[in-house]
Amino acid sequence: MITRRFVFGAVAVLALTPLALAAQDKVEIVEPWARAALAGRNSAAYMTIVNHTGEKDELISAATPVARVVELHTHMMEGGVMRMRPVQAIEVNVGEPAVLRPGGLHVMLINLTRDLKAGETIPLTLRFRNAGERTIEVPVQAAGAMGPAGHGHGHGHGHGHGHGHGPRN
Amino acid sequence: MTLWQRLGVGLATAAVAGAAAWFFIPAWLGPPRSEPVQVALPAGITLGGPFSLIDETGARVTNETFRGRFMLIYFGFTYCPDVCPTELAKMAAALDLLGDAAEEVVPILITVDPERDTPAALAQYTDLFHPRLIGLTGTEAEIAAAARAYRAYYAKVRTGQAPDEYTMDHSAFIYLMGRRGEFVALFNPETTPEQMAEAMRRAISASPRVSKMQPQGGRT
Ligand SMILES: [Cu+2]
């Protein structure tokens, strides 16, 4: 075990990636982001959760000071009708990252205490059944973003409309 | 793999919920399509029609208000955290792709949550997506009438005890309507902004702007 840890640590340091270092033996949160939204309304946070712990785990709750209620949700698209529903937990199995993304699983930030503006970051505490609590900083993207910064995700518009000022055409 | 294959499930769910007060779009959608760019309407079915609603400034608007221009219409609500932002952003991106021709198109969000979506709330929300996006609200009856004309489905789903603790299920289609309010195209959540822009470009060039000048004649 000690040897394993040492090897992992050495590789991470060599690669000079703080993310990899932090990820060792843990639940790793990759590319978190949230949507800009108005105070009193709702937003959603997305991310990919990778389980490096060697045992299956699940995200059981989340909290942030910027929302009065935080819930874990999924979407069901049925015949063109979008239905959003709470889920009890989001499974994070070893070798099977949980992907939270628009139109699917998300951490729903309900009744925001203030405006969330593109460019800022918000703290989000994630509670895992086995791995315990992790607090991360989540970058806020434009209201119309489809992915984390720098990812167009196939729609080709990225986050050009976040501020509502001045059309780009 | 997508919504088309789950159509049967959607229909069954809607029927069980008993919430589909009218014949909404998925009820007559065809079999799975490999290229779900635009949704084809079966013969004899049409979409759209008169509506009378309130705009972001509190002014009464009807379908006649937008006559002469195309309408790009989406039914959604401002408390929607995920799907509405995605679809509205797609509309905005498609308009950007159109360049100057986008002036011929009025992008419209019709709320399915008139209880919470006041004109002021809609004004604030639509600015997040596109400076020209117009939010429309109205009474419950006016919204229901508009949704019925467009065969849009929506239903309130309680999420807690408090009166304002609810979300809305709703269909996520985008409608392109022509200069006289006639149906032109229906887009589903898998349509890309590029495909939407191309459909609008084609529709606009097939229906050039009518001069605002009335033809002269007859009057003395
Ligand atoms: Cu949600």
Side-chain angles (χ1 to χ4, degrees), chain B residues 10-213:
Chain B
L11 288 178
T13 309
V16 168
W22 59 88
F23 201 40
F24 71 101
I25 289 172
W28 44 254
L29 284 181
R33 285 155 196 284
S34 53
E35 281 287 312
V37 174
Q38 275 178 237
V39 182
L41 300 194
I45 298 277
T46 191
L47 290 176
F51 59 77
S52 179
L53 297 166
I54 302 291
D55 76 8
E56 294 176 357
T57 68
R60 173 69 51 183
V61 297
T62 72
N63 48 304
E64 289 298 315
T65 310
F66 306 106
R67 201 177 174 89
R69 281 182 293 168
F70 289 80
M71 295 184 289
L72 191 63
I73 300 177
Y74 180 75
F75 287 83
F77 65 115
T78 72
Y79 282 76
C80 179
D82 184 280
V83 174
C84 303
T86 302
E87 297 307 307
L88 293 172
K90 271 164 59 176
M91 284 167 59
L95 290 171
D96 279 2
L97 288 169
L98 269 188
D100 289 344
E103 298 297 322
E104 301 292 313
V105 183
V106 185
I108 297 172
L109 164 65
I110 299 179
T111 182
V112 294
D113 184 12
E115 196 176 320
R116 291 184 297 199
D117 287 344
T118 60
L122 283 163
Q124 222 186 350
Y125 185 74
T126 54
D127 280 356
L128 294 174
F129 300 97
H130 195 280
R132 289 202 298 111
L133 178 63
I134 295 172
L136 300 183
T137 186
T139 65
E140 298 271 355
E142 286 164 347
I143 294 297
R148 196 174 301 117
Y150 285 84
R151 296 173 190 254
Y153 168 85
Y154 65 98
K156 188 189 269 194
V157 179
R158 290 240 144 258
T159 56
Q161 304 294 316
D164 66 338
E165 287 182 337
Y166 63 89
T167 185
M168 305 296 297
D169 286 352
H170 63 100
S171 48
F173 291 97
I174 295 170
Y175 309 76
L176 178 62
M177 309 303 288
R179 296 187 192 276
R180 292 171 307 283
E182 79 280 13
F183 171 77
V184 175
L186 181 63
F187 308 109
N188 67 40
E190 291 173 38
T191 308
T192 66
E194 289 75 17
Q195 292 164 338
M196 209 182 300
E198 183 51 36
M200 287 193 286
R201 193 173 290 119
R202 260 185 280 128
I204 291 167
S205 59
S207 169
R209 187 206 298 256
V210 182
S211 166
K212 290 215 174 79
M213 299 276 287

Side-chain angles (χ1 to χ4, degrees), chain A:
Chain A
M1 197 61 202
I2 290 168
T3 316
R4 259 176 74 102
R5 268 175 201 275
F6 174 75
V7 172
F8 281 160
V11 169
V13 169
L14 281 176
L16 292 172
T17 53
L19 208 72
L21 195 66
Q24 153 200 0
D25 281 5
K26 278 182 159 180
V27 169
E28 181 188 6
I29 314 299
V30 183
E31 292 190 320
W33 65 284
R35 237 179 237 301
L38 301 168
R41 301 282 160 61
N42 307 322
S43 178
Y46 312 93
M47 67 203 73
T48 297
I49 309 171
V50 188
N51 186 343
H52 299 283
T53 65
E55 59 175 336
K56 71 188 258 187
D57 205 341
E58 53 186 11
L59 177 63
I60 51 175
S61 67
T64 175
V66 303
R68 294 191 174 84
V69 179
V70 180
E71 294 179 354
L72 308 178
H73 281 185
T74 192
H75 276 104
M76 292 170 292
M77 175 65 99
E78 294 171 344
V81 176
M82 195 52 103
R83 303 169 197 278
M84 183 171 69
R85 296 290 183 270
V87 293
Q88 286 301 309
I90 294 173
E91 283 189 22
V92 194
N93 294 322
V94 178
E96 200 183 326
V99 181
L100 283 62
R101 63 175 159 226
L105 291 166
H106 56 277
V107 177
M108 174 101 163
L109 313 179
I110 300 168
N111 198 349
L112 298 172
T113 59
R114 61 176 178 80
D115 288 357
L116 301 192
K117 293 206 154 61
E120 67 166 326
T121 66
I122 55 168
L124 181 67
T125 301
L126 304 169
R127 202 165 296 117
F128 294 92
R129 189 170 301 285
N130 297 324
E133 269 186 23
R134 280 283 304 281
T135 297
I136 58 170
E137 284 294 320
V138 179
V140 177
Q141 307 293 339
M146 282 301 295
H151 291 245
H153 281 262
H155 287 302
H157 56 84
H159 36 80
H161 284 279
H163 305 287
H165 300 297
R168 290 174 299 140
N169 46 346

